[in-house]
Amino acid sequence: MGLYIYFSQQCPVQIWGLTSQQRIEKVLKGVAASISANEFDTLADSDSVLVLRGDYLFDDRLIKYLAATPNITLQLNGEQQEVTVAAHVPARYTQQALDIIEGNGITSPLPDIENQALAAMSISFQEKLLKFEPPFVLPITADKKSELEQRLFDWSYKGITDLVTKWVWPRPARWVVGHCVRLHIRPNHVTLAGFLLTIIAGYFFAYGQYGWGLLAGWLMTFLDTVDGKLARVTVTSSKFGHYFDHIIDLAHPPIWYILWGLGLPAAQVDSLALPLSVLFSLVMIGYVAGRLVEGSFQVFLGRFGIFCWRPVDSYFRLITARRNPNLIFLTVSYIVGRPDLGLLAVTFWTAATSMFLLIRLVTAAYLRARQGPLRSWLADADKPRYNKSLAVRFFTRHISG
């Protein structure tokens, strides 16, 4: 039993360096193989075929959903009539499905095949990207290339993240991702550059060269945004790149803060309310505790991140003591000439936010024990109770009302 893909009405326009066919083949690599029309007769009765319009841009989630859901057709509401853009059917119905998609006068439904409308599909909550966004299928034309690239870039962005990543980096990141695509720079190349900047920033922090260290640090955080978006819009990822990026993200923040403290002038070290060793311990304990709380919530309480649980948690993610908000503290302290205050601010905020997360974890455990499985508010973002919610405007692409 195998799954095959056939593309109808292919389009040569490339979105982020890929045609629709190339993108779909990369998304379904290892899951389905492409076939040509003259191979239809060679398929076994147990095989199935996913027929897709090659002149439409499909949401990656939707592609995977269609591949995993047999016996369906996907319809869009056009200006004058419904348009069938995809069908996952048994091999014996491939030609009939193709006739329906290409509008060859076939209007009667196929036996035992369910017609699904895009608007009715409930796959809007994206756990990996911490966001609610309805799936999309958009016609591809040369004059809409820039618009489609922007749409795909927006889709690749996490919905719930820190305030810098959410509101400062998107515009420059899109520009840099575009250049990376044109220059054939891969996500792992960007991640490696970010890793080198991580080391450079730590070196400058340790020797009290905070200006240069902050420059390297902010460039690293920017590239950390770029590599993920580049990987998603070009469907280019690897296990090595995934783990390399995540290990860097997980390990370096507390090391930076400790190196920042080691670079402080002796006079400022003496003026601190607590010894450096105590501050370093508090930073490390608070950081590890916060990460453990996040992991425990996802493993034991909900199959989603803690910041997706309630709107208050999503708001809190904007400012919680992760790298970028803490870099703001350090940058301000450097500008005012008191880097020691930056270390104190990072220490206090790390401890405070970890305590808040621990309270949220205990609350979630209590509610799960009393009321059953937890549910993310993002899974219900299109429900009437969130119609006037500011959180919907902040964290989703859903248009309420």
Side-chain angles (χ1 to χ4, degrees):
M1 180 177 180
L3 174 62
Y4 297 88
I5 323 170
Y6 181 80
F7 295 93
S8 166
Q9 303 184 38
Q10 298 181 30
C11 178
V13 177
Q14 294 185 342
I15 308 300
W16 292 116
L18 298 171
T19 65
S20 179
Q21 176 177 343
Q22 291 170 332
R23 181 177 188 83
I24 292 170
E25 288 175 337
K26 294 185 77 170
V27 171
L28 296 182
K29 184 178 181 180
V31 176
S34 297
I35 60 170
S36 59
N38 57 18
E39 294 177 294
F40 289 168
D41 293 338
T42 66
L43 299 177
D45 290 340
S46 59
D47 293 333
S48 63
V49 179
L50 178 57
V51 184
L52 296 154
R53 284 277 295 262
D55 54 349
Y56 277 79
L57 177 66
F58 290 80
D59 184 330
D60 288 11
R61 293 166 301 162
L62 185 58
I63 296 169
K64 294 175 182 177
Y65 173 82
L66 292 170
T69 311
N71 303 320
I72 62 169
T73 62
L74 175 63
Q75 294 181 332
L76 306 181
N77 291 322
E79 295 181 358
Q80 298 179 343
Q81 61 181 359
E82 290 184 336
V83 179
T84 302
V85 295
H88 184 172
V89 297
R92 63 184 179 276
Y93 292 145
T94 303
Q95 187 58 56
Q96 294 96 312
L98 180 58
D99 289 338
I100 291 173
I101 288 175
E102 294 187 342
N104 293 334
I106 306 297
T107 57
S108 58
L110 297 174
D112 302 318
I113 304 298
E114 178 187 358
N115 295 324
Q116 290 196 16
L118 180 65
M121 290 186 171
S122 57
I123 57 173
S124 296
F125 178 34
Q126 303 179 69
E127 293 181 11
K128 289 186 177 180
L129 292 182
L130 309 181
K131 67 195 294 185
F132 176 99
E133 181 174 346
F136 61 84
V137 180
L138 302 169
I140 299 174
T141 57
D143 62 313
K144 289 188 176 181
K145 177 178 177 177
S146 179
E147 178 183 332
L148 292 171
E149 288 188 339
Q150 182 65 57
R151 183 71 180 86
L152 200 55
F153 180 83
D154 292 342
W155 169 84
S156 76
Y157 227 85
K158 285 185 177 180
I160 298 173
T161 185
D162 67 85
L163 72 171
V164 176
T165 302
K166 189 171 185 65
W167 288 311
V168 179
W169 290 153
R171 188 181 296 272
R174 185 193 185 285
W175 184 82
V176 172
V177 167
H179 281 283
C180 288
V181 170
R182 284 187 286 276
L183 296 173
H184 304 290
I185 296 174
R186 298 173 63 84
N188 283 352
H189 300 155
V190 180
T191 303
L192 179 59
F195 174 63
L196 296 176
L197 286 168
T198 302
I199 297 173
I200 293 171
Y203 173 85
F204 282 124
F205 290 158
Y207 286 92
Q209 300 295 314
Y210 295 123
W212 290 110
L214 287 168
L215 177 61
W218 280 117
L219 283 174
M220 179 272 170
T221 71
F222 175 67
L223 293 184
D224 190 39
T225 290
V226 169
D227 63 3
K229 310 308 169 287
L230 179 61
R232 293 186 195 111
V233 300
T234 60
V235 199
T236 306
S237 62
S238 65
K239 286 187 177 180
F240 170 78
H242 173 78
Y243 288 113
F244 185 38
D245 182 57
H246 279 75
I247 289 172
I248 295 172
D249 289 347
L250 188 65
H252 80 271
I255 297 175
W256 272 4
Y257 311 145
I258 291 172
L259 293 174
W260 181 281
L262 293 176
L264 289 173
Q268 292 192 350
V269 172
D270 294 338
S271 69
L272 292 171
L274 295 170
L276 278 180
S277 59
V278 174
L279 294 177
F280 293 163
S281 297
L282 290 174
V283 165
M284 186 62 71
I285 292 170
Y287 179 79
V288 172
R291 288 293 194 169
L292 287 176
V293 167
E294 293 175 39
S296 298
F297 181 96
Q298 190 155 6
V299 171
F300 299 112
L301 299 179
R303 289 181 297 178
F304 51 87
I306 191 171
F307 299 113
C308 295
W309 182 30
R310 294 286 185 266
V312 65
D313 302 303
S314 300
Y315 284 120
F316 189 66
R317 178 63 181 89
L318 293 170
I319 58 171
T320 195
R322 290 281 191 89
R323 178 192 60 214
N324 289 359
N326 282 343
L327 271 180
I328 294 175
F329 288 133
L330 297 179
T331 301
V332 172
S333 72
Y334 166 72
I335 291 173
V336 301
R338 292 294 303 273
D340 56 323
L341 297 182
L343 179 62
L344 287 174
V346 167
T347 303
F348 167 79
W349 194 235
T350 299
T353 58
S354 295
M355 184 61 66
F356 177 85
L357 287 173
L358 182 59
I359 293 171
R360 296 299 292 165
L361 180 68
V362 172
T363 303
Y366 173 78
L367 290 176
R368 166 141 190 185
R370 292 289 301 274
Q371 302 174 7
L374 304 179
R375 184 176 175 85
S376 168
W377 77 272
L378 288 170
D380 299 318
D382 57 347
K383 299 295 190 296
R385 61 175 166 162
Y386 288 114
N387 278 355
K388 298 182 180 180
S389 172
L390 183 62
V392 169
R393 292 168 53 193
F394 265 29
F395 301 113
T396 80
R397 289 184 61 89
H398 171 67
I399 301 175
S400 59

